Amino acid sequence: PPATDKEENPAVLAENCFRELLGRATFGNMNNAVRPVFAHLDHHKLWDPNEFAVHCFKIIMYSIQAQYSHHVIQEILGHLDARKKDSPRVRAGIIQVLLEAVAIAAKGSIGPTVLEVFNTLLKHLRLSVEFEANDLQGGSVGSVNLNSSSKDNDEKIVQNAIIQTIGFFGSNLPDYQRSEIMMFIMGKVPVFGTSTHTLDISQLGDLGTRRIQIMLLRSLLMVTSGYKAKTIVTALPGSFLDPLLSPSLMEDYELRQLVLEVMHNLMDRHDNRAKLRGIRIIPDVADLKIKREKICRQDTSFMKKNGQQLYRHIYLGCKEEDNVQKNYELLYTSLALITIELANEEVVIDLIRLAIALQDSAIINEDNLPMFHRCGIMALVAAYLNFVSQMIAVPAFCQHVSKVIEIRTMEAPYFLPEHIFRDKCMLPKSLEKHDKNLYFLTNKIAESLGGSGYSVERLSVPYVPQVTDEDRLSRRKSIVDTVSIQVDILPNSIPSDDVVNNTEEITFEALKKAIDTSGMEEQEKEKRRLVIEKFQKAPFEEIAAQCESKANLLHDRLAQILELTIRPPPSPSGTLTITSGHAQYQSVPVYEMKFPDLCVY
């Protein structure tokens, strides 16, 4: 044809016709435009490889009216459900098409399909893990016959495609929707000993359950990336934090890494994490140019309520036998981020107590940890105390920490992160015979901080991790023993406000209660749990104030008894008014006067 004529390429003409046709589609006839595309791709096996399928759906998403984007996404999800028993590569091809569609729709309105997208993807993630588990057990899944190893790799392609789609979709949602998706995904994670998760794992087995935990936490990690909450309680509400820090998610080193990384995404509101990457002794923390703000009231309240839970997770996480270098690096970053984002003077003291407790656990070694892990804990403590001493800038504290690090450099380099995490580091045979100058000493730290106005009384109280009901089901025997002792001792040693009446009248209700003791046992368990929880989570000052008020009340009651004992008894028909201290009793007949609440003491 002449050069002036426009070249007529059949592919270009077809694409232009396709775009124009889709541009005229309305909500009512959208199915007529999209479903033939699925039929064509299925019939000609164009999902693997899926370059043509991706190209088609890009045309569809850019050609239709923006308000109909969610309808196309729903159709893709429906087709994925219909092809759920196809080969892994076909399913992966459909999921990648979904990713491209979501990437285009995310710029506009996705409408009511947000939860449906995540729900469908998580359902197919579980199915993929189930197929993978069946393959490992010698089962045959799908419509094609492949050897087990290639199937296994193909299922990983499906899983990675799902996680990539979840992450991209989640990261493009507004914050209010992203927080809902975080809760939604966390609600799917199987947690041992609870029935809170909503994902069917009955066919997965232990290996499959662990695999789905890792996949879901990886999805959660991608959704939380870049999320910035104004207050930490918005990012880590109790309903999200409790399952995230569940003991059952500590059984595997990879799960612990993912949990810590999710926490870092939500805690790091000033992008300091990159500056803290790696575990090392930082010569001058000021060079890092850490960004931080004054701790707000909501964050302070969060630490009072949940601080012990965070400390416990870090403490137990340090003492796991399957830790690798990355675990120690992430634990160090956790301590540093809590210091930057959430630490007032009280939290700083708690973090130092935690560090000293970790040092003591490495020296005493009740858990029979290998020498590498003991030295790794010592190195983590050195790196953190070096960091926190410079952050709070107390000269005497900095001097003590620097002196210990200097001595370690010369005499025990395996106690420092730069050496212990290096290949072929020489390990000591024991830690018991080391000079105390190699250790951070509580009395020296207390003396240095006390001189700068810190309240250091709690430093003399050794840190003990709080206990949970899940510990009874876990393999941490020492924690189980601790909770048993507390349950046995605390309820009997702490005053109760209940009044005990030794002359209770025998009635039908009393007999019924005596026969049906299950309710009372539940009440007693709940009462014990509240007592334990109070002594674990309540601030020291609050507990001290309550004990003081009880002591004052006891003093007043004793004064009343003495006053009654000293005074001559009046006639039976007389009355008596008693006033002593802060308590006052009205005039009552003397012989009917009772003090039933004295039995509290």
Side-chain angles (χ1 to χ4, degrees):
T4 55
D5 291 352
K6 184 178 179 181
E7 182 180 354
E8 292 190 352
N9 185 315
V12 173
L13 283 174
E15 187 171 317
N16 289 336
C17 287
F18 193 33
R19 290 181 187 278
E20 189 172 342
L21 183 65
L22 289 164
R24 297 174 186 275
T26 63
F27 184 81
N29 57 26
M30 185 63 65
N31 288 346
N32 298 336
V34 177
R35 288 181 181 175
V37 177
F38 287 119
H40 178 78
L41 296 173
D42 289 345
H43 182 71
H44 294 283
K45 297 181 172 57
L46 294 171
W47 295 111
D48 175 34
N50 69 338
E51 287 81 3
F52 181 73
V54 169
H55 184 61
C56 283
F57 275 91
K58 279 186 174 180
I59 294 173
I60 292 173
M61 294 303 291
Y62 280 120
S63 301
I64 63 173
Q65 299 177 50
Q67 65 266 31
Y68 301 149
S69 295
H70 66 89
H71 187 84
V72 177
I73 292 173
Q74 282 178 318
E75 288 294 315
I76 300 173
L77 292 171
H79 195 68
L80 180 60
D81 281 340
R83 304 297 298 269
K84 66 183 179 182
K85 291 188 177 180
D86 278 34
S87 70
R89 289 189 175 273
V90 169
R91 286 179 280 129
I94 299 173
I95 292 165
Q96 285 165 356
V97 167
L98 176 64
L99 173 60
E100 296 293 339
V102 163
I104 297 168
K107 300 170 184 174
S109 170
I110 304 178
T113 59
V114 174
L115 274 181
E116 186 181 350
V117 169
F118 284 98
N119 199 32
T120 302
L121 288 173
L122 292 175
K123 179 175 69 177
H124 283 275
L125 184 62
R126 181 192 62 78
L127 282 172
S128 177
V129 172
E130 186 176 327
F131 294 158
E132 185 182 17
N134 288 340
D135 288 342
L136 291 174
Q137 294 169 6
S140 60
V141 180
S143 59
V144 292
N145 294 319
L146 298 171
N147 62 57
S148 182
S149 62
S150 67
K151 273 182 167 182
D152 183 43
N153 291 332
D154 289 348
E155 288 298 346
K156 284 183 170 56
I157 293 173
V158 175
Q159 294 160 15
N160 289 331
I162 292 174
I163 291 171
Q164 189 179 5
T165 306
I166 287 174
F168 185 87
F169 195 9
S171 61
N172 280 281
L173 292 174
D175 283 350
Y176 74 92
Q177 273 190 323
R178 207 190 309 195
S179 61
E180 289 179 7
I181 295 304
M182 286 157 46
M183 295 291 295
F184 180 73
I185 296 175
M186 195 65 234
K188 299 283 186 181
V189 178
V191 174
F192 178 72
T194 69
S195 57
T196 55
H197 60 87
T198 56
L199 207 63
D200 181 17
I201 59 170
S202 57
Q203 305 297 321
L204 295 181
D206 290 343
L207 187 63
T209 300
R210 175 189 172 277
R211 184 77 179 149
I212 197 69
Q213 286 175 326
I214 289 175
M215 292 293 110
L216 290 172
L217 287 175
R218 281 180 59 194
S219 305
L220 188 61
L221 182 62
M222 294 195 73
V223 172
T224 56
S225 179
Y227 180 64
K228 296 287 188 297
K230 292 183 179 179
T231 61
I232 197 68
V233 72
T234 305
L236 286 169
S239 53
F240 180 84
L241 187 65
D242 291 342
L244 182 67
L245 299 185
S246 167
S248 70
L249 296 182
M250 296 185 71
E251 302 292 334
D252 180 88
Y253 78 96
E254 193 174 353
L255 287 174
R256 295 196 300 276
Q257 290 175 6
L258 289 167
V259 167
L260 291 172
E261 287 177 312
V262 169
M263 282 175 51
H264 296 172
N265 278 348
L266 298 174
M267 277 187 190
D268 185 23
R269 293 170 287 176
H270 298 91
D271 299 318
N272 291 311
R273 192 172 15 156
K275 303 168 186 176
L276 301 166
R277 188 165 288 125
I279 179 171
R280 65 196 189 281
I281 303 296
I282 303 170
D284 189 354
V285 173
D287 291 341
L288 299 181
K289 296 182 179 177
I290 299 289
K291 296 178 184 176
R292 66 186 305 194
E293 295 177 13
K294 186 178 179 182
I295 309 301
C296 67
R297 183 171 55 82
Q298 292 92 334
D299 289 350
T300 302
S301 176
F302 172 86
M303 285 306 290
K304 283 187 175 179
K305 184 177 181 181
N306 302 295
Q308 295 299 326
Q309 200 173 359
L310 295 175
Y311 305 150
R312 171 190 192 275
H313 190 82
I314 293 171
Y315 180 82
L316 296 179
C318 286
K319 298 170 66 176
E320 293 290 346
E321 287 188 19
D322 60 344
N323 278 342
V324 295
Q325 180 177 344
K326 185 177 179 181
N327 289 87
Y328 292 114
E329 290 177 353
L330 293 172
L331 288 162
Y332 163 74
T333 304
S334 300
L335 289 167
L337 285 176
I338 293 174
T339 305
I340 295 168
E341 297 285 350
L342 302 167
N344 54 16
E345 288 190 6
E346 183 179 338
V347 173
V348 166
I349 295 296
D350 283 336
L351 289 169
I352 294 172
R353 285 176 62 219
L354 174 60
I356 297 299
L358 284 170
Q359 176 183 261
D360 292 344
S361 72
I363 297 170
I364 299 170
N365 197 26
E366 291 180 344
D367 298 280
N368 295 319
L369 292 173
M371 186 56 70
F372 169 78
H373 293 76
R374 296 171 70 185
C375 291
I377 293 173
M378 299 292 279
L380 183 150
V381 171
Y384 175 66
L385 289 180
N386 173 70
F387 177 81
V388 73
S389 64
Q390 294 186 55
M391 285 296 291
I392 65 177
V394 175
F397 186 21
C398 291
Q399 187 177 1
H400 172 63
V401 173
S402 300
K403 184 68 174 174
V404 173
I405 291 173
E406 183 181 341
I407 297 173
R408 286 186 178 188
T409 304
M410 295 184 293
E411 299 181 15
Y414 39 77
F415 284 167
L416 299 174
E418 292 84 352
H419 294 269
I420 186 61
F421 298 124
R422 190 174 61 190
D423 291 339
K424 298 180 180 178
C425 175
M426 294 294 292
L427 297 175
K429 293 183 178 180
S430 68
L431 303 186
E432 287 72 18
K433 296 180 181 179
H434 281 75
D435 185 53
K436 70 175 184 179
N437 291 327
L438 291 170
Y439 303 136
F440 301 100
L441 304 177
T442 306
N443 58 343
K444 292 277 185 72
I445 296 174
E447 184 181 339
S448 61
L449 293 178
S452 296
Y454 280 79
S455 178
V456 295
E457 290 81 6
R458 282 184 303 128
L459 276 178
S460 60
V461 181
Y463 169 78
V464 177
Q466 73 166 43
V467 289
T468 67
D469 291 338
E470 279 188 80
D471 286 314
R472 296 182 178 279
L473 305 174
S474 77
R475 56 186 169 83
R476 296 176 181 82
K477 192 63 180 173
S478 59
I479 300 295
V480 177
D481 293 340
T482 304
V483 70
S484 299
I485 292 169
Q486 287 184 323
V487 168
D488 288 341
I489 294 175
L490 286 175
N492 295 326
S493 60
I494 297 173
S496 168
D497 293 326
D498 296 336
V499 175
V500 180
N501 189 351
N502 291 327
T503 58
E504 183 178 352
E505 185 180 357
I506 298 175
T507 62
F508 173 75
E509 287 297 324
L511 289 171
K512 184 179 177 182
K513 287 180 181 178
I515 295 170
D516 183 15
T517 59
S518 59
M520 295 178 66
E521 286 177 0
E522 289 298 322
Q523 290 178 3
E524 185 66 21
K525 284 181 182 178
E526 179 65 14
K527 184 177 172 183
R528 291 183 178 190
R529 188 189 66 78
L530 291 174
V531 170
I532 294 171
E533 185 176 336
K534 179 177 181 180
F535 271 76
Q536 288 166 351
K537 294 186 177 182
F540 177 77
E541 293 77 8
E542 180 183 327
I543 296 173
Q546 186 174 12
C547 291
E548 185 179 359
S549 66
K550 293 282 187 182
N552 290 338
L553 184 58
L554 176 59
H555 176 270
D556 292 343
R557 298 292 172 86
L558 289 174
Q560 293 171 6
I561 295 170
L562 290 172
E563 194 169 348
L564 280 176
T565 305
I566 295 170
R567 290 185 181 181
S571 60
S573 58
T575 60
L576 179 65
T577 300
I578 304 170
T579 304
S580 176
H582 303 292
Q584 179 171 349
Y585 280 71
Q586 295 180 351
S587 299
V588 293
V590 172
Y591 293 148
E592 294 180 13
M593 187 177 296
K594 297 178 181 178
F595 296 92
D597 46 352
L598 284 176
C599 65
V600 171
Y601 301 103

